[in-house]
Amino acid sequence: MPILVEAGWGGVIQWPWSITWTDISSRVDMVQGVTITRGAQDELAEPQPGGCTMTLDNQDGWLTPGSPSSPYAPWVRRNAPIRVSALVYPTRTGAAPWPLSQMADEFDGSAINPTLWPNRYGGSSVVGGRLRIPLSPGVSSGVQSARSWTLPGASVCARMTTAPKANGSSAALSHFILDGVTNGTRLGFQFNVATQTLRCVSMVGFVDAAGVDLPYSGIDHLWLRIREAAGTVYWETSPDGWDWTVRRTLATPSWASSQQLIVTLSTSRTGGTGDYTEWDYLGAMVYPRFCGTVNEWPVTWSGLASSVSISATDLFKRLNRLPDMRSCLVEEVAANTPLAYYPLTEATGSTSAGDLSGTTAGPLTVAQLGSGGTLELGTAAGPAAATDALPLLTPASATAGKYLTSDLGQQFETKSGTGWLMLECWFQTSTPGRVIFGLSSTTTIYQLVWSLSASGALQVESCFDGFLSSPVVLGGGNLADGKWHHLAYDEVMHQVWVDGVPLSGSPYTLVHLRHLTVGAYGGGRLWSGSIGHLALYAVSPLAPIGAILATHYAAGMTAYSGETADLRVTRLAKYAGVASVTILGTTHDPVVGQGEAGSSVVARLREVEATESGRLYAERDGFSLAYQSRDLRYNPDAGDEAFAIAYADLEPGTELADDDQKLTNSVEASRPGGATQRVTADSSILAFGLYEKQLTLLKASDNSVVDAASWIVSRYADPGPELREVPIEAYTLPTYVDILAADISSYFTVYDLPAQAPVMEMRVTVEGYSETIAESSHRIQFRTSASATDSVWVLGDPEYGRLDYTTRLAY
């Protein structure tokens, strides 16, 4: 079967590295096939969420949601992870000996292939499309190829679909081995079932003193590969058959480079009870096509036959359903998972302030000291880039007024005793000598108080015996200057930062903290001014985050205005819980801050994408995003093409388009806080009339806005004829593997066009595609644009430096 479909029962896409995948390929209706859509309609449209549909056999009821008899229960449910890959098996050509890269077995028949595996022993068989090798006490089992395979410049891989269990045995082994001529001379993988250790071995006399042992992981070591290249042997593992990790390297042994080898898959067990190893997809080349989550599991019946026709959507499904973002500052703090976080952004009239950490920390409530004074939430303007209003504390005196207090709860108390304290807070005042906030244990044995000295410098008091020390002045100048300031502290590093700048001094290490007092401490020193975004963390010693917390000063003041687009995309993805972003290309301009609350993370990402003329989409090999800068498409040349295809090899439906769909000859562009500017192509306006576009771009300078507008006009003032749809039946073509490698922004050439075409060949860029993978068929409908649209002038280049041909300047 040319497809691999896997379900991640019980997995969640926020932790993709922890998903255990189950092969459900045998259930797929390959007559209907699997249909996948991905990418954008054209280069001016946004890439859309990718989708996948298929019909699965459910005759055993295992895919019925809520069925308690299903071995997959209770994980047959909406949002179950699913991934789809195309498989390509090598073709064996010529006479023996053959390179190992030509060895393949799908194990899809009813019996072991006797030609490929002439030696079969110990009850080995094919069961359910897999090679099953028993582990029976006192019995050696396995299959062996003929001695007809060579290693130099070749590789062989397989998936250990079912790993055996020890079942009471003290010695149980499973092997994936290449055997030399001399008995006991071998290299490959040895899985010690009893110790759950995967060993990369190169043996002589069955001994390898330098073998590399790996604690076995059914996720990371699902696929195993032996590869030789340029005199080095590589032992590699993979969770998906696509991304490989090198586990051991060794200069190729002379016997392995000169001898014909036997491939052996075998097992042995001493004692215990029987079990088995199952292998599949020997020699398969895996090409990921889709990774997403199932939207629904609708069960249908035709008589007594049952099936499930599912649809799935890629990572953008989750991103699109996320609530609107809070301010950049709030998102930045929340992304570092505080144990207690009080933004103090409640509306005017509120009488308490809540914790946004999601733990058991109690709310901050208003307390009165003496009489008089006010504490008004939602009143004071916060840091420049944080648009939410914060509380205003106005005491009657240093000993009379209102403050805030909270019981942080048992969870915080426990974790503050086992983890290391990190904290941050914003404050603003014109009155020195007052307390910002204090922390204490229930017994007050441990206390930590942050305040300003009489001269306005930051100072700290602490104790671990119930008696506060004298204040230790840390510096920072006069912070009682009416401006907003940011404090960060890292207990692991004993480091304090003010406004992102490190100060000297190190408070004591404290534990069992539980009570929080904001704006006062010990019956006095009431704060006059505002306090906000107070966050407390408890982390392991291996994860000091104080330096990260110090960067939150930029979050509050500028929302990181001026950072480059690639960093902004990664930052926004972090807010959405996306752990991985692949950055492609090298041109990344500075962008202004996106500090305000109120729009979705996808909208923010699309703003950056549009500003930079980039490309943002969900990857097809995992739950991650890819961001391409515009220069990735500059000046494609034949050496970098994904493939080339003759017009005669295309399916019906190829059309040449020449319309005004993309025509743009006037762009009015502006940026936040900057000028509004207009760029026109007068000759195009004269020829075709006015085709105007208005843009707001997140550029950091007015010149960059003009550059972006000029880039659009230079490309679309007079767009040429182009191929927008290229349908291919790829499965039967000799370039099938190259076609599978083509992705968004890849380009290929269609040559030998009909005589009626304006040119004999056209180079196109992939914007998206729809594909259907069926039995012995893989039809792909590429949506494309003209690659020449992204060509830029290069001085002296024979192709891109010709006068009046390629004079568009890169930006």
Side-chain angles (χ1 to χ4, degrees):
M1 185 180 293
I3 198 168
L4 173 59
V5 178
E6 300 166 285
W9 305 122
V12 292
I13 64 175
Q14 293 92 323
W15 299 282
W17 53 87
S18 66
I19 297 176
T20 299
W21 295 95
T22 299
D23 185 352
I24 59 172
S25 306
S26 61
R27 296 178 177 272
V28 179
D29 182 344
M30 291 301 289
V31 175
Q32 296 185 49
V34 176
T35 298
I36 297 167
T37 59
R38 192 159 176 269
Q41 191 65 34
D42 57 50
E43 75 272 32
L44 297 179
E46 295 175 349
Q48 297 301 301
C52 176
T53 60
M54 70 185 79
T55 298
L56 302 170
D57 179 78
N58 188 41
Q59 196 61 25
D60 54 14
W62 288 11
L63 300 183
T64 300
S67 172
S69 62
S70 170
Y72 306 141
W75 310 118
V76 182
R77 61 186 186 185
R78 67 190 72 86
N79 292 328
I82 191 168
R83 66 185 184 187
V84 179
S85 300
L87 301 179
V88 179
Y89 288 92
T91 301
R92 188 167 48 181
T93 59
W98 301 283
L100 276 166
S101 295
Q102 292 186 13
M103 187 178 203
D105 197 338
E106 299 180 62
F107 303 112
D108 278 350
S110 59
I112 297 173
N113 183 337
T115 302
L116 186 60
W117 308 104
N119 188 10
R120 308 170 299 283
Y121 53 97
S124 300
S125 61
V126 170
V127 179
R130 298 170 182 170
L131 173 65
R132 178 175 292 183
I133 305 178
L135 269 80
S136 302
V139 178
S140 294
S141 304
V143 296
Q144 285 187 317
S145 73
R147 186 174 296 284
S148 52
W149 301 96
T150 59
L151 178 60
S155 66
V156 63
C157 70
R159 168 176 157 145
M160 189 161 64
T161 300
T162 303
K165 297 179 176 61
N167 290 351
S169 175
S170 60
L173 301 174
S174 181
H175 294 98
F176 176 21
I177 292 291
L178 307 181
D179 282 302
V181 173
T182 303
N183 192 30
T185 302
R186 50 188 3 202
L187 60 81
F189 290 95
Q190 175 182 282
F191 176 44
N192 189 319
V193 185
T195 63
Q196 290 291 291
T197 301
L198 182 68
R199 193 166 211 221
C200 307
V201 298
S202 178
M203 296 180 171
V204 175
F206 295 105
V207 174
D208 179 10
V212 174
D213 291 325
L214 308 169
Y216 177 70
S217 165
I219 296 175
D220 296 332
H221 307 147
L222 183 61
W223 290 77
L224 308 176
R225 182 168 74 177
I226 298 293
R227 179 171 61 91
E228 201 281 343
T232 301
V233 178
Y234 299 85
W235 286 255
E236 298 169 315
T237 68
S238 172
D240 53 17
W242 172 253
D243 289 317
W244 294 91
T245 300
V246 176
R247 302 299 183 177
R248 182 186 182 185
T249 61
L250 185 71
T252 306
S254 59
W255 63 266
S257 60
S258 61
Q259 298 176 8
Q260 295 179 35
L261 308 178
I262 292 173
V263 178
T264 302
L265 297 166
S266 64
T267 63
S268 63
R269 177 193 292 281
T270 300
T273 56
D275 199 4
Y276 54 82
T277 301
E278 286 187 324
W279 296 93
D280 206 348
Y281 307 115
L282 181 76
M285 292 180 286
V286 179
Y287 291 88
R289 308 307 295 172
F290 176 82
C291 190
T293 53
V294 177
N295 301 321
E296 56 179 347
W297 296 89
V299 179
T300 58
W301 289 269
S302 178
L304 296 178
S306 177
S307 63
V308 179
S309 296
I310 66 170
S311 65
T313 310
D314 67 19
L315 180 61
F316 273 94
K317 176 185 177 181
R318 177 178 174 270
L319 298 184
N320 281 328
R321 73 169 182 263
L322 293 176
D324 284 349
M325 295 181 66
R326 299 158 296 190
S327 71
C328 171
L329 178 55
V330 175
E331 295 290 350
E332 192 69 26
V333 174
N336 286 285
T337 60
L339 197 55
Y341 176 33
Y342 299 98
L344 292 159
T345 55
E346 281 76 9
T348 302
S350 300
T351 57
S352 60
D355 161 55
L356 291 187
S357 70
T359 67
T360 57
L364 282 167
T365 57
V366 178
Q368 179 74 52
L369 184 62
S371 60
T374 60
L375 193 161
E376 300 172 289
L377 291 164
T379 300
T387 55
D388 297 318
L390 295 173
L392 179 63
L393 292 81
T394 309
S397 67
T399 56
K402 296 182 178 180
Y403 61 99
L404 295 161
T405 184
S406 173
D407 180 346
L408 295 170
Q410 184 60 53
Q411 183 176 350
F412 187 93
E413 181 178 5
T414 300
K415 290 195 173 183
S416 75
T418 58
W420 294 77
L421 181 66
M422 313 281 163
L423 58 84
E424 63 178 314
C425 180
W426 287 80
F427 57 90
Q428 177 269 328
T429 186
S430 297
T431 306
R434 305 296 176 90
V435 167
I436 307 169
F437 70 94
L439 290 160
S440 65
S441 61
T442 300
T443 61
T444 69
I445 294 294
Y446 300 101
Q447 300 178 57
L448 182 67
V449 181
W450 298 89
S451 63
L452 297 185
S453 69
S455 63
L458 180 68
Q459 63 181 17
V460 63
E461 302 151 74
S462 57
C463 71
F464 52 89
D465 57 5
F467 299 95
L468 275 175
S469 65
S470 299
V472 176
V473 177
L474 302 174
N478 179 21
L479 303 179
D481 56 2
K483 300 177 181 179
W484 278 103
H485 296 285
H486 178 250
L487 160 67
Y489 170 57
D490 183 332
E491 191 176 61
V492 175
M493 305 302 294
H494 281 193
Q495 183 66 65
V496 178
W497 292 263
V498 169
D499 298 344
V501 178
L503 304 180
S504 60
S506 56
Y508 294 112
T509 296
L510 304 177
V511 296
H512 302 306
L513 300 173
R514 179 155 181 165
H515 296 282
L516 170 66
T517 303
V518 179
Y521 198 80
R525 294 186 287 172
L526 284 158
W527 187 261
S528 177
S530 187
I531 298 171
H533 300 287
L534 170 60
L536 307 171
Y537 309 78
V539 302
S540 73
L542 298 179
I545 60 172
I548 297 175
L549 302 185
T551 69
H552 293 174
Y553 178 67
M557 298 306 292
T558 68
Y560 301 108
S561 181
E563 70 179 350
T564 52
D566 56 325
L567 297 179
R568 179 63 53 79
V569 167
T570 302
R571 187 181 302 282
L572 292 171
K574 177 185 69 174
Y575 298 161
V578 178
S580 174
V581 181
T582 300
I583 302 296
L584 303 168
T586 59
T587 299
H588 307 290
D589 290 351
V591 291
V592 298
Q594 295 170 288
E596 69 283 354
S599 59
S600 70
V601 67
V602 173
R604 296 274 175 89
L605 287 165
R606 294 299 183 201
E607 286 177 345
V608 179
E609 177 190 35
T611 294
E612 292 301 292
S613 297
R615 253 325 180 226
L616 179 80
Y617 53 89
E619 296 198 275
R620 59 189 178 186
D621 61 347
F623 293 107
S624 57
L625 293 174
Y627 173 72
Q628 300 175 347
S629 63
R630 58 186 176 272
D631 70 299
L632 189 74
R633 298 184 174 209
Y634 289 171
N635 297 352
D637 75 36
D640 295 325
E641 281 188 333
F643 62 93
I645 187 168
Y647 169 78
D649 289 330
L650 302 183
E651 296 297 295
T654 304
E655 294 183 356
L656 184 70
D658 183 26
D659 52 32
D660 62 357
Q661 178 179 312
K662 301 178 182 180
L663 183 59
T664 304
N665 50 33
S666 176
V667 174
E668 184 179 284
S670 62
R671 68 182 182 94
T676 299
Q677 302 172 89
R678 188 167 180 246
V679 174
T680 62
D682 293 340
S683 60
S684 174
I685 294 173
L686 180 63
F688 307 115
L690 183 63
Y691 285 78
E692 188 170 23
K693 179 178 288 188
Q694 294 184 329
L695 300 172
T696 299
L697 305 174
L698 302 181
K699 293 294 187 181
S701 71
D702 291 334
N703 286 340
S704 293
V705 173
V706 172
D707 290 341
S710 299
W711 174 248
I712 294 172
V713 170
S714 68
R715 295 162 76 209
Y716 299 110
D718 186 12
E722 62 181 3
L723 298 175
R724 293 182 184 163
E725 299 279 344
V726 181
I728 302 174
E729 173 50 74
Y731 190 77
T732 57
L733 296 177
T735 54
Y736 182 40
V737 167
D738 298 324
I739 294 171
L740 288 176
D743 200 356
I744 295 169
S745 295
S746 296
Y747 39 89
F748 62 90
T749 294
V750 180
Y751 62 90
D752 288 346
L753 288 164
Q756 298 86 353
V759 292
M760 291 305 297
E761 65 180 41
M762 288 188 171
R763 187 174 292 159
V764 296
T765 301
V766 176
E767 304 299 344
Y769 55 82
S770 299
E771 62 183 327
T772 299
I773 309 171
E775 193 63 52
S776 300
S777 173
H778 192 161
R779 181 186 170 103
I780 307 178
Q781 182 98 3
F782 285 106
R783 298 186 294 276
T784 61
S785 62
S787 297
T789 302
D790 295 297
S791 298
V792 298
W793 184 68
V794 179
L795 179 64
D797 188 273
E799 182 174 0
Y800 297 107
R802 287 183 282 168
L803 190 63
D804 296 327
Y805 177 73
T806 310
T807 55
R808 183 184 304 117
L809 297 178
Y811 116 89

PDB file of all heavy atoms in Angstrom, residues 602-614:
ATOM      1  N   VAL A 602      -3.671  34.286  14.903  1.00  0.00           N
ATOM      2  CA  VAL A 602      -3.552  34.103  13.460  1.00  0.00           C
ATOM      3  C   VAL A 602      -3.583  35.455  12.754  1.00  0.00           C
ATOM      4  O   VAL A 602      -2.803  35.696  11.818  1.00  0.00           O
ATOM      5  CB  VAL A 602      -4.672  33.182  12.938  1.00  0.00           C
ATOM      6  CG1 VAL A 602      -4.649  33.124  11.408  1.00  0.00           C
ATOM      7  CG2 VAL A 602      -4.517  31.773  13.504  1.00  0.00           C
ATOM      8  N   ALA A 603      -4.442  36.359  13.214  1.00  0.00           N
ATOM      9  CA  ALA A 603      -4.496  37.692  12.613  1.00  0.00           C
ATOM     10  C   ALA A 603      -3.164  38.418  12.786  1.00  0.00           C
ATOM     11  O   ALA A 603      -2.678  39.083  11.864  1.00  0.00           O
ATOM     12  CB  ALA A 603      -5.634  38.501  13.226  1.00  0.00           C
ATOM     13  N   ARG A 604      -2.565  38.289  13.966  1.00  0.00           N
ATOM     14  CA  ARG A 604      -1.265  38.931  14.200  1.00  0.00           C
ATOM     15  C   ARG A 604      -0.189  38.332  13.297  1.00  0.00           C
ATOM     16  O   ARG A 604       0.645  39.037  12.735  1.00  0.00           O
ATOM     17  CB  ARG A 604      -0.852  38.745  15.663  1.00  0.00           C
ATOM     18  CG  ARG A 604      -1.783  39.419  16.670  1.00  0.00           C
ATOM     19  CD  ARG A 604      -1.401  40.881  16.885  1.00  0.00           C
ATOM     20  NE  ARG A 604      -2.341  41.554  17.736  1.00  0.00           N
ATOM     21  CZ  ARG A 604      -2.250  41.614  19.076  1.00  0.00           C
ATOM     22  NH1 ARG A 604      -1.241  41.042  19.685  1.00  0.00           N
ATOM     23  NH2 ARG A 604      -3.151  42.270  19.773  1.00  0.00           N
ATOM     24  N   LEU A 605      -0.196  37.009  13.175  1.00  0.00           N
ATOM     25  CA  LEU A 605       0.779  36.351  12.303  1.00  0.00           C
ATOM     26  C   LEU A 605       0.588  36.773  10.847  1.00  0.00           C
ATOM     27  O   LEU A 605       1.563  37.004  10.121  1.00  0.00           O
ATOM     28  CB  LEU A 605       0.648  34.836  12.432  1.00  0.00           C
ATOM     29  CG  LEU A 605       1.172  34.217  13.730  1.00  0.00           C
ATOM     30  CD1 LEU A 605       0.664  32.797  13.903  1.00  0.00           C
ATOM     31  CD2 LEU A 605       2.693  34.234  13.763  1.00  0.00           C
ATOM     32  N   ARG A 606      -0.654  36.883  10.430  1.00  0.00           N
ATOM     33  CA  ARG A 606      -0.925  37.277   9.051  1.00  0.00           C
ATOM     34  C   ARG A 606      -0.513  38.725   8.796  1.00  0.00           C
ATOM     35  O   ARG A 606      -0.112  39.081   7.683  1.00  0.00           O
ATOM     36  CB  ARG A 606      -2.409  37.092   8.728  1.00  0.00           C
ATOM     37  CG  ARG A 606      -2.897  35.646   8.726  1.00  0.00           C
ATOM     38  CD  ARG A 606      -2.183  34.807   7.706  1.00  0.00           C
ATOM     39  NE  ARG A 606      -2.701  33.444   7.646  1.00  0.00           N
ATOM     40  CZ  ARG A 606      -2.049  32.410   7.160  1.00  0.00           C
ATOM     41  NH1 ARG A 606      -0.814  32.572   6.700  1.00  0.00           N
ATOM     42  NH2 ARG A 606      -2.594  31.208   7.133  1.00  0.00           N
ATOM     43  N   GLU A 607      -0.577  39.574   9.823  1.00  0.00           N
ATOM     44  CA  GLU A 607      -0.098  40.943   9.673  1.00  0.00           C
ATOM     45  C   GLU A 607       1.390  40.972   9.355  1.00  0.00           C
ATOM     46  O   GLU A 607       1.847  41.709   8.485  1.00  0.00           O
ATOM     47  CB  GLU A 607      -0.370  41.736  10.961  1.00  0.00           C
ATOM     48  CG  GLU A 607      -1.816  42.111  11.183  1.00  0.00           C
ATOM     49  CD  GLU A 607      -2.034  42.818  12.509  1.00  0.00           C
ATOM     50  OE1 GLU A 607      -1.124  42.771  13.372  1.00  0.00           O
ATOM     51  OE2 GLU A 607      -3.099  43.418  12.695  1.00  0.00           O
ATOM     52  N   VAL A 608       2.148  40.147  10.059  1.00  0.00           N
ATOM     53  CA  VAL A 608       3.585  40.079   9.800  1.00  0.00           C
ATOM     54  C   VAL A 608       3.844  39.490   8.423  1.00  0.00           C
ATOM     55  O   VAL A 608       4.683  39.999   7.660  1.00  0.00           O
ATOM     56  CB  VAL A 608       4.291  39.244  10.885  1.00  0.00           C
ATOM     57  CG1 VAL A 608       5.783  39.142  10.601  1.00  0.00           C
ATOM     58  CG2 VAL A 608       4.053  39.844  12.266  1.00  0.00           C
ATOM     59  N   GLU A 609       3.129  38.441   8.087  1.00  0.00           N
ATOM     60  CA  GLU A 609       3.286  37.799   6.780  1.00  0.00           C
ATOM     61  C   GLU A 609       3.033  38.789   5.647  1.00  0.00           C
ATOM     62  O   GLU A 609       3.814  38.884   4.691  1.00  0.00           O
ATOM     63  CB  GLU A 609       2.314  36.621   6.686  1.00  0.00           C
ATOM     64  CG  GLU A 609       2.311  35.911   5.347  1.00  0.00           C
ATOM     65  CD  GLU A 609       1.171  34.918   5.240  1.00  0.00           C
ATOM     66  OE1 GLU A 609       0.075  35.204   5.787  1.00  0.00           O
ATOM     67  OE2 GLU A 609       1.355  33.871   4.599  1.00  0.00           O
ATOM     68  N   ALA A 610       1.929  39.553   5.739  1.00  0.00           N
ATOM     69  CA  ALA A 610       1.598  40.515   4.690  1.00  0.00           C
ATOM     70  C   ALA A 610       2.606  41.656   4.643  1.00  0.00           C
ATOM     71  O   ALA A 610       2.977  42.133   3.568  1.00  0.00           O
ATOM     72  CB  ALA A 610       0.187  41.059   4.917  1.00  0.00           C
ATOM     73  N   THR A 611       3.055  42.109   5.808  1.00  0.00           N
ATOM     74  CA  THR A 611       4.028  43.200   5.859  1.00  0.00           C
ATOM     75  C   THR A 611       5.312  42.822   5.133  1.00  0.00           C
ATOM     76  O   THR A 611       5.919  43.649   4.437  1.00  0.00           O
ATOM     77  CB  THR A 611       4.345  43.547   7.323  1.00  0.00           C
ATOM     78  OG1 THR A 611       3.161  44.076   7.938  1.00  0.00           O
ATOM     79  CG2 THR A 611       5.455  44.569   7.428  1.00  0.00           C
ATOM     80  N   GLU A 612       5.728  41.580   5.266  1.00  0.00           N
ATOM     81  CA  GLU A 612       7.008  41.138   4.722  1.00  0.00           C
ATOM     82  C   GLU A 612       6.892  40.423   3.387  1.00  0.00           C
ATOM     83  O   GLU A 612       7.895  39.918   2.870  1.00  0.00           O
ATOM     84  CB  GLU A 612       7.684  40.225   5.735  1.00  0.00           C
ATOM     85  CG  GLU A 612       8.126  40.942   6.985  1.00  0.00           C
ATOM     86  CD  GLU A 612       9.107  42.051   6.669  1.00  0.00           C
ATOM     87  OE1 GLU A 612      10.229  41.768   6.253  1.00  0.00           O
ATOM     88  OE2 GLU A 612       8.709  43.224   6.815  1.00  0.00           O
ATOM     89  N   SER A 613       5.669  40.335   2.815  1.00  0.00           N
ATOM     90  CA  SER A 613       5.455  39.550   1.596  1.00  0.00           C
ATOM     91  C   SER A 613       6.006  38.146   1.778  1.00  0.00           C
ATOM     92  O   SER A 613       6.653  37.572   0.889  1.00  0.00           O
ATOM     93  CB  SER A 613       6.107  40.223   0.381  1.00  0.00           C
ATOM     94  OG  SER A 613       5.521  41.467   0.119  1.00  0.00           O
ATOM     95  N   GLY A 614       5.785  37.593   2.958  1.00  0.00           N
ATOM     96  CA  GLY A 614       6.285  36.265   3.290  1.00  0.00           C
ATOM     97  C   GLY A 614       5.221  35.204   3.097  1.00  0.00           C
ATOM     98  O   GLY A 614       4.185  35.430   2.468  1.00  0.00           O
TER      99      GLY A 614
END
